[in-house]
Amino acid sequence: MSLEEFERLIIATAERSAICELVTVVAFTETTIRLSVLLYIDAHIDIYFNERNGTTSYTLVASDVRVFGADNANGWHFHPFGAPDHHEWLSQPMTFAEFLEQVEQEYS
């Protein structure tokens, strides 16, 4: 997936969510993109994607602390609510839509 395709996917997914307020490109290089999704719940999601090696991460941040996350460093896993330093391994990649659905469920 290209950086532009990844960015469009994140924006389209955020636009369908009632808790997403604004998507901002924080950094953009030849092979990477960093995005921030501002949420209406006094938190934001930091997103990173490396087009060259496929590294992807989603991090829900509240009060400058990771409260939930998912990434594919050393295999897809997530950092659950209540124990964000813990790793729970996944059998398949987590999409941004799936990540956002988890956030919506936690805050509904």
Side-chain angles (χ1 to χ4, degrees), residues 36-52:
S36 181
V37 181
L38 183 61
L39 306 175
Y40 288 110
I41 58 171
D42 292 328
H44 70 276
I45 300 171
D46 287 332
I47 301 169
Y48 171 83
F49 177 67
N50 183 313
E51 178 182 47
R52 184 170 292 150

Side-chain angles (χ1 to χ4, degrees), residues 5-80:
E5 290 168 330
F6 184 82
E7 179 183 5
R8 283 193 301 270
L9 179 65
I10 298 300
I11 291 170
T13 303
E15 286 176 344
R16 290 189 300 270
S17 173
I19 67 168
C20 295
E21 183 175 0
L22 178 69
V23 178
T24 305
V25 176
V26 176
F28 189 90
T29 70
E30 186 176 306
T31 59
T32 65
I33 188 167
R34 289 186 182 273
L35 301 152
S36 181
V37 181
L38 183 61
L39 306 175
Y40 288 110
I41 58 171
D42 292 328
H44 70 276
I45 300 171
D46 287 332
I47 301 169
Y48 171 83
F49 177 67
N50 183 313
E51 178 182 47
R52 184 170 292 150
N53 62 22
T55 300
T56 306
S57 69
Y58 316 113
T59 306
L60 175 64
V61 178
S63 300
D64 294 323
V65 176
R66 176 178 66 186
V67 295
F68 178 59
D71 63 76
N72 64 350
N74 300 315
W76 272 101
H77 62 276
F78 69 98
H79 306 272

